[in-house]
Amino acid sequence: MLIFHIIEILPQLFPDPLGPFTSFAHDLFENLSYYFPIHFTHPKGEDLNIKRDDLARALMLAFSSTPLFEPFAIPLLLEKLSSSLPSAKVDSLRYLSDCTVKYGADRMAKHGEALWSSLKDAVFTSLDSVLSFTPETLEGLCLPENEIAAEALSLLQKLIVQNTNLFLDLIVVDEDINMIFNMISSYKSYHGIPAQSKQRLHAVVCILSTSVKASTASCNRVFECFFSRLMDILGLCVRNSSGNLSPDDSIMIPERYNHGALYLSIELLSACRDLIASSETIIAASARTEETWSYLLQSFLPSLTKAFCSASICTSEDSHDADMYFGVKGLLILATFPEGYLLISKPVFEKILTTFVSIVTVDYSNTLLWKLALKALVQIGSFIEKCHESEKEPSYLGLVVEKIVSLSSLGDFSIPFPLRLEALSEIGTSGKSYMLKVVEGLEEAIYANLSEVYVHGSSNSAEIVTQVLKCYSDKVIPWIHCANGFEEVPLQFAIHIWNQIENSMVFNATQTNKIEVLDAMMKAMKLAVASCSQENQNIIAQKSYHILSSSTSFPLKELFQQESFQIVQVDNSSSRDEWILSLFAAVVIAVHPETYVPNIKPLLYLFMTTLLKGNVAAAQALGSVVNKLGLKSAGVQTDCTLEEVMDIILNLSLWIFQSNSSSDIEAKMASAHDISLINLCSSIGSCTSLQIHAIVGLAWIGKGLLMRGHEKVKDITMIFLQCLQPNGRAEILHQEEGISENNNELDLHHSVMKRAADAFQILMGDSEVCLNRGFHAVIRPLYKQRFFSTMMPILQSLIMKSEPLSRSLLLRASAHIIIDTPLIVVLSDAKKIIPMVLDGLSALSNDILDKDVIYGLLLVLSGILMDKNGQDAVSDSAHTITNRLIELIQYPHMMLVRETAIQCLVAVSGLSHARIYPMRTQVLRAIAKALDDPKRAVRQEAVRCRQAWASIASRSLHI
Amino acid sequence: MTLGLINANPVVHAKKERVARSEDPHGEDAVDPLEIYDFVRDIRDPEHPYSLEQLSVLSEESVTVDEKLGRILITFTPTIQHCSMATVIGLCLRVKLKECFPPHFKVDIKVAPGSHADEESVNKQLNDKERVAAALENPNLRQLVDECLYSNEL
């Protein structure tokens, strides 16, 4: 490496060309040349921290350090270029391009011919022949992914820039290229061309477009030589005037265009466009019109446009992907020529746009063409936006955006609705002004259909509005979030929705379609509110609270005045009230912590009553409230502190039971008027669903607390734990015996207990619906770790002394915690956790509903087994682990469980020999059964596992 | 007893692309020829560092399977007519399939008709349980087979 550097510096020390260095150049280079190509043998991680790339670069600099090396270097590099080693090829191409720049034109000219022929070979052989017609490649310029080809083309570009005449002469007279031109004229369809010729065609395209891109002069030259030939092949004739389109019909249009020629001309055009775009600032536009290529282009333009149009819309049966692809791409390129070149007049541009729009609106059955056209429209739109093409913008707005937006409100179902929405949102993303239009259209559709739903309960509109809302929240709001200056849009949207619901006093939404619409609305509302600024959120919160308090039957005022913690059961709430409340919950879920939510206390009561009726959104809203309330840094005045809120929640007495008019319960509950939510959870009644709702509610509240790191979460988890233990229940059970002799008593309990265990999943899991970063939740770092380390010892000790029934539930709870804790934390505690994981696996493996829990536990186990420290920790319990895994190999409910179990067994086979050898026959026998598994993936894993276990003993397998 | 290579200059073919299968979450995946072929295509030739696929001893079409009856039939084509390695290749196939499939499959291994000078006796030898078992007890032969199955020289 040092030597390379020295040589690089040497010429700078002896600048005198007649000096001693000249005479040594040959010897010096001879020595250098032995190093090329760098053959790097050091394996990774040796003491020298030199990489192959560094060495190669140093050598390259040494090679190109002085023009004096030229007579020796170039032949050597060319020779290496023809070697078969890919890395040598890439290297020599890189070296060559470096040398080209350093040595100067005169010296390189000597090698011109040799360079060209070897470059041509490199490009021809290294390109692949497959040309894809997917919409994604529409704008991409088909740049070769192959490294060799890419290097070769960049070298070619450098050479052409340096010495345009020489190399273009070579290209023009080259017989291979001419042969390709002859070849394409003989094939009509792209698919008719044999693969090898396709490859060559592709190579020619690359070479030609590179040379077009190199400079204006080369561009002229290429167009002069090839373009008219292409046009001849296409059968297009020269027209003198460039603008008027009227006599189009007189042009004879052949049935099918020659694909090869189309392809070539499109690529030439796009290269030409790129050239203009890059050099735009340098030369004035007016000077350009005199250039040869533009003259040529002008003369062919009308017929070319016509050809592309007909290619893209020709729908005959034998039309092919290639037709559409080339047609659309050609039109796109024509339309995106920068303004000021007068290449494309306004009528032509508009004609192109109408072609695309008509494809989008009519030809939706042809998926590929539809996608291509839409994509092309989007690209034209973003091109206009980017280049500030003032002239074209009105026509784009008028023709495309208006037309597409009108799709959203169109009543007839000529186009499937999802497709319309896709078109809308895609067009919208192409520019700000278009997005505004699109948003307007979408919102109009939403409002119109919503009022239909409100008033008539029409299921048709409900379906539409659900889809539009989904589109709004999936596509529009994220886009608004990224772009600046659209603060107002979500605000207006939210306010409008609230206004609308306020004004619609008649409410006839039917039960069936209501839920979907409400879900979609809540999602859109949440996202819209979340993307608002804090002030705007304040406005929305005020507005919604006003509506909630004024136009519903919820007794908010009375609640506010009541000092006693009592809630009157609101039984007569209509579905409209519920609707409003859910929307309000959505607002509460999504606001910033600093946003002021009025009158927290009565809202709390309201939410709590509704959550007991099974409204999860209310529970989530409560969780959000406790999560965000009373941040010290915020300095916003609130009605009450967090402590007060918690007191209210936990000690709230509920008179709710009186309306649950079963005499049994009333009798029971009469004695317990002031039963609190806590007691409710652990108390027993035949109102299991009520208990379940209470537990779910508590779980969300607990999650809110847990995420901000509040200590009250302990109280809540203790409630859950009590639910899981029989001891806490025993006394109550005792009292209960007199009242109800229901046989299914135990079952009911079981479902409640199970829900309590699942509450831990809510506590630990990441939720998409609320309490996440998007909805501005307060998240304390490492809260999961903290919870894990406090809970695990407690659970462990509880499991030790528990009865079978609650034991399995406790295991379930701990399984939830383990699954959702980051693996690295579990690893540090692996020794203690493993028994619980294993017990959990065996306890839960009977019920089909628990398969996801099982899978989660198995993933944790495999994580432990893969880790170095984890392996040390588990080696003591290898025997138990293996037994458990062998049981799971036959797990009938989920393929992934079987597969992962077998993978875990493979990992076990890596433990210390002494530990696992005794289990060998047992494992092999179990695996043999898995070879017969119905799923292929499992069978393959089984073969691998069998191999691993068989080879730990047999003598013959030591290879 | 090395007499030099039996076929010193085999024709090497390109490896075919592996097809990634689309997983069907429901329903059972039946054993099909491609699955079997995927197991055996990478077995190394006893005398060259190429896989059986590369030497085109095997192809996907040469495998047939009947899931219901539990039968697998593999027909392979030795590179030359009087290849004495044909039996070793057959033995490798048999061992590999025994490892990869449950024992209720009956495996038949044959040389393609007309591809070997001594076709009948080779077929008989390959499908004779006793002779296969005896061959596998021969340490030299066993080592050769294991090398073919597990080597990473390809």
Side-chain angles (χ1 to χ4, degrees), chain A residues 936 940, chain B residues 16-23 32 34-35 37-38 41 53 60:
Chain A
R936 186 173 293 121
Q940 269 160 5
Chain B
K16 261 195 236 155
E17 279 293 309
R18 305 262 162 156
V19 247
R21 304 210 181 187
S22 52
E23 277 298 323
D32 62 5
L34 183 59
E35 185 181 346
Y37 182 55
D38 274 338
R41 66 204 292 183
E53 178 188 15
E60 197 188 329

Side-chain angles (χ1 to χ4, degrees), chain A residues 932 934-936 939 947 957, chain B residues 21 24 27 29 35 104 150:
Chain A
D932 210 6
K935 298 300 270 186
R936 186 173 293 121
R939 291 197 291 263
Q947 174 68 38
L957 288 174
Chain B
R21 304 210 181 187
D24 169 24
D29 307 332
E35 185 181 346
H104 62 76
Y150 306 117

Side-chain angles (χ1 to χ4, degrees), chain A residues 592-664:
Chain A
H592 275 289
E594 291 88 7
T595 308
Y596 174 69
V597 179
N599 289 338
I600 293 272
K601 272 188 204 170
L603 282 179
L604 285 180
Y605 298 132
L606 190 59
F607 280 141
M608 293 196 47
T609 42
T610 37
L611 94 82
L612 286 176
K613 283 191 283 179
N615 190 334
V616 183
Q620 290 166 348
L622 271 180
S624 295
V625 168
V626 297
N627 181 254
K628 291 165 186 170
L629 196 68
L631 268 195
K632 277 169 199 143
S633 60
V636 183
Q637 84 282 19
T638 41
D639 294 343
C640 52
T641 61
L642 180 65
E643 278 66 34
E644 283 173 34
V645 172
M646 286 315 296
D647 280 350
I648 296 172
I649 290 176
L650 293 177
N651 301 323
L652 185 61
S653 48
L654 297 163
W655 286 21
I656 209 162
F657 308 101
Q658 276 163 1
S659 56
N660 273 353
S661 54
S662 141
S663 59
D664 249 11

Side-chain angles (χ1 to χ4, degrees), chain A residues 512-615:
Chain A
T512 44
N513 52 37
K514 197 184 83 174
I515 300 166
E516 277 179 17
V517 178
L518 186 58
D519 276 352
M521 264 179 89
M522 279 175 65
K523 189 175 174 204
M525 179 63 85
K526 273 185 219 166
L527 288 169
V529 173
S531 60
C532 280
S533 70
Q534 194 200 326
E535 297 90 57
N536 289 342
Q537 287 187 347
N538 271 332
I539 300 173
I540 297 175
Q542 290 287 355
K543 172 96 189 164
S544 51
Y545 178 75
H546 172 70
I547 294 171
L548 182 70
S549 55
S550 63
S551 70
T552 62
S553 57
F554 294 125
L556 273 181
K557 284 277 177 326
E558 300 92 84
L559 283 174
F560 188 50
Q561 286 152 7
Q562 275 174 352
E563 280 306 307
S564 66
F565 294 145
Q566 290 173 353
I567 284 187
V568 186
Q569 166 67 19
V570 199
D571 232 357
N572 54 348
S573 60
S574 66
S575 65
R576 175 166 175 273
D577 293 346
E578 268 174 40
W579 192 292
I580 292 179
L581 188 71
S582 301
L583 275 184
F584 187 71
V587 173
V588 171
I589 286 171
V591 292
H592 275 289
E594 291 88 7
T595 308
Y596 174 69
V597 179
N599 289 338
I600 293 272
K601 272 188 204 170
L603 282 179
L604 285 180
Y605 298 132
L606 190 59
F607 280 141
M608 293 196 47
T609 42
T610 37
L611 94 82
L612 286 176
K613 283 191 283 179
N615 190 334

Side-chain angles (χ1 to χ4, degrees), chain A residues 125 161 212 220 270 437 490 538 627 644 689 712 717 771 806:
Chain A
T125 49
V161 170
V212 167
N220 276 336
S270 82
K437 287 262 180 207
N538 271 332
N627 181 254
E644 283 173 34
S689 63
K712 274 277 198 304
T717 45
L771 286 175
S806 69

Side-chain angles (χ1 to χ4, degrees), chain A residues 895 928-929 931-937 939-940 943 946-947 956-957 959, chain B residues 21 24-25 27-32 35 39 98-100 102 104 146 150:
Chain A
M895 189 266 282
K929 279 183 207 151
L931 287 176
D932 210 6
D933 197 274
K935 298 300 270 186
R936 186 173 293 121
R939 291 197 291 263
Q940 269 160 5
V943 170
R946 186 178 158 128
Q947 174 68 38
S956 59
L957 288 174
I959 295 167
Chain B
R21 304 210 181 187
D24 169 24
E28 305 193 340
D29 307 332
V31 178
D32 62 5
E35 185 181 346
F39 281 124
K98 209 176 84 190
E99 279 177 9
C100 297
H104 62 76
D146 284 341
Y150 306 117

Side-chain angles (χ1 to χ4, degrees), chain A residues 687-896:
Chain A
C687 47
T688 322
S689 63
L690 196 62
Q691 287 177 319
I692 288 179
H693 293 150
I695 287 176
V696 171
L698 266 185
W700 283 108
I701 295 167
K703 184 171 171 59
L705 289 174
L706 175 66
M707 286 176 85
R708 68 184 292 176
H710 196 273
E711 69 244 9
K712 274 277 198 304
V713 71
K714 261 189 203 143
D715 299 347
I716 291 180
T717 45
M718 283 311 150
I719 299 171
F720 294 144
L721 286 181
Q722 273 171 19
C723 293
L724 293 176
Q725 286 171 69
N727 312 359
R729 261 181 329 133
E731 308 137 37
I732 314 171
L733 245 182
H734 201 63
Q735 302 165 359
E736 197 72 13
E737 274 166 13
I739 302 170
S740 89
E741 271 111 32
N742 256 342
N743 281 336
N744 58 359
E745 184 78 343
L746 239 164
D747 284 351
L748 290 175
H749 277 308
H750 193 68
S751 70
V752 174
M753 286 166 74
K754 201 165 165 187
R755 197 49 73 98
D758 287 342
F760 285 94
Q761 189 176 22
I762 298 181
L763 277 179
M764 288 296 283
D766 296 317
S767 165
E768 277 183 18
V769 195
C770 70
L771 286 175
N772 53 33
R773 254 175 228 294
F775 296 135
H776 312 292
V778 180
I779 300 176
R780 196 169 167 205
L782 303 181
Y783 75 95
K784 284 185 179 175
Q785 281 87 322
R786 238 179 284 265
F787 191 65
F788 174 78
S789 47
T790 45
M791 285 312 293
M792 280 337 259
I794 303 175
L795 279 170
Q796 250 167 344
S797 63
L798 281 178
I799 289 172
M800 291 290 217
K801 56 187 181 192
S802 61
E803 293 166 16
L805 176 65
S806 69
R807 184 181 152 84
S808 78
L809 288 164
L810 282 171
L811 282 171
R812 193 182 164 84
S814 45
H816 283 311
I817 298 180
I818 293 173
I819 290 170
D820 280 322
T821 310
L823 185 63
I824 191 111
V825 187
V826 181
L827 270 177
S828 64
D829 240 355
K831 230 178 187 137
K832 287 182 204 150
I833 298 303
I834 279 287
M836 294 178 79
V837 172
L838 295 178
D839 287 346
L841 284 176
S842 68
L844 300 174
S845 57
N846 294 324
D847 194 349
I848 185 168
L849 293 176
D850 292 335
K851 58 183 181 184
D852 290 323
V853 186
I854 290 268
Y855 183 52
L857 278 179
L858 259 182
L859 285 183
V860 173
L861 181 61
S862 75
I864 295 175
L865 285 171
M866 292 297 174
D867 188 86
K868 182 75 191 61
N869 297 328
Q871 282 174 358
D872 296 342
V874 297
S875 71
D876 291 338
S877 44
H879 190 71
T880 0
I881 293 178
T882 315
N883 283 338
R884 197 68 70 229
L885 288 173
I886 286 176
E887 282 166 28
L888 284 176
I889 288 179
Q890 304 292 331
Y891 189 76
H893 307 303
M894 196 178 184
M895 189 266 282
L896 282 172

